[in-house]
Amino acid sequence: MAPTSSAIITGLYRYPVKGLTPDPLPRVALRPGETLPADRRYAIENGPSGFDPAAPSWMPKTVFLMLMRNERLAGYRSHFEDDTHRLTIYRDGAMVAQGDLKTAEGRAAIEAFFIENFAHELKGPPKLLESHGHSFSDVARKVVSIINLESVRAIESMVGGAVHPLRFRANLYLEGWPAWHEAKLVGERLAIGAARLRVVKRITRCAAVNVDPDTAARDFEIPETLMRRFGHNECGIYAEVIAGGEIAVGDAIAPEAPRLP
């Protein structure tokens, strides 16, 4: 593919707890073969799943609390602190739960919050899961997810309303490419300063993107709309980090020109 004009990173986000709200980042260091630091580091098991922290393996999102089925999660705001391992959950600006996720007491405090507030949605006791180096991603490989904001605008024209980009729970949000340009980049290398990422697949969308992250309402049928229009329900791309480096909001990102033989 011939090189195209670059896009600009307008947003960087990580999701420390699967299903909860993201932490915005001004900049982040990427490492080869890794996600953004602490991205999907934790998940809330919805009843016994058989997950073994000593031998972690990928599991489908359905074994966790997640937006595809538990849209009320979007009604809470959360923040994770790396230094203290403290997760704080807020409702309407007020703190409703807090715990140090490195301690049994802290994890129990967070689990108690979900027992009290999500009782009718639980299949068993909720448990906060973590395993060193593991990411509770929707895909088995460690990836960075990317959304082109012009594609989001194209979806807005299809559904006839404003679509909050954070519905798509991406790590990188980009401005400057035409709608759906990213879908053509599978197999390409992307350059962001010294960092290099290889696009490995398009992202298949589930009902989680129908949930408005501000209101927690299911107000659109985005995957269904994409399927009717295009015959698929894909929006966004996954990329693997193949060369590390620091990236920041405002950085340019572009397909790398192929090397000459």
Side-chain angles (χ1 to χ4, degrees):
M1 173 180 288
T4 63
S5 59
S6 65
I8 299 296
I9 298 174
T10 59
L12 274 173
Y13 295 87
R14 68 169 186 182
Y15 302 77
V17 182
K18 187 177 184 70
L20 299 188
T21 52
D23 288 335
L25 304 170
R27 60 185 63 251
V28 68
L30 298 181
R31 294 174 54 199
E34 296 294 333
T35 64
L36 267 67
D39 191 54
R40 277 81 173 184
R41 177 175 174 178
Y42 301 94
I44 304 154
E45 182 184 52
N46 189 1
S49 69
F51 180 80
D52 183 359
S57 60
W58 179 85
M59 287 187 164
K61 68 180 77 176
T62 50
V63 305
F64 310 114
L65 286 175
M66 42 77 189
L67 287 168
M68 186 177 78
R69 293 180 179 171
N70 312 109
E71 65 269 20
R72 290 195 309 112
L73 291 170
Y76 297 87
R77 298 291 176 264
S78 61
H79 177 64
F80 178 72
E81 300 172 12
D82 292 290
D83 293 342
T84 63
H85 309 289
R86 183 183 297 118
L87 176 69
T88 306
I89 302 175
Y90 302 88
R91 175 74 178 183
D92 298 326
M95 186 184 77
V96 294
Q98 187 176 79
D100 178 348
L101 302 190
K102 283 297 184 184
T103 69
E105 295 80 5
R107 293 191 297 273
I110 299 299
E111 291 162 0
F113 165 79
F114 286 101
I115 291 171
E116 180 180 355
N117 291 278
F118 286 79
H120 298 300
E121 299 171 55
L122 296 176
K123 303 173 184 176
K127 184 177 181 181
L128 198 72
L129 299 181
E130 179 198 16
S131 179
H132 180 71
H134 184 71
S135 175
F136 293 94
S137 172
D138 285 352
V139 292
R141 61 211 305 179
K142 291 186 177 181
V143 291
V144 173
S145 57
I146 299 173
I147 280 288
N148 175 7
L149 290 172
E150 197 61 32
S151 298
V152 176
R153 295 186 187 103
I155 291 173
E156 288 180 327
S157 69
M158 295 178 200
V159 300
V163 173
H164 197 309
L166 286 181
R167 288 176 186 257
F168 298 94
R169 300 180 66 78
N171 299 127
L172 277 64
Y173 288 88
L174 310 182
E175 192 78 78
W177 285 341
W180 314 119
H181 175 73
E182 67 281 8
K184 306 172 185 177
L185 299 178
V186 175
E188 298 293 315
R189 287 164 54 110
L190 303 177
I192 315 172
R196 296 293 183 272
L197 295 82
R198 179 182 293 113
V199 181
V200 294
K201 72 185 299 284
R202 303 180 187 96
I203 303 175
T204 300
R205 292 299 170 182
C206 69
V209 298
N210 293 334
V211 180
D212 186 295
D214 286 333
T215 66
R218 293 189 186 274
D219 51 3
F220 291 127
E221 295 184 343
I222 291 174
E224 297 85 346
T225 300
L226 291 170
M227 186 63 73
R228 287 194 298 270
R229 180 66 63 91
F230 299 123
H232 64 72
N233 54 352
E234 298 167 349
C235 180
I237 50 177
Y238 287 126
E240 291 180 329
V241 180
I242 56 176
E246 186 176 85
I247 66 173
V249 173
D251 282 354
I253 176 171
E256 192 173 47
R259 293 183 177 89
L260 296 176

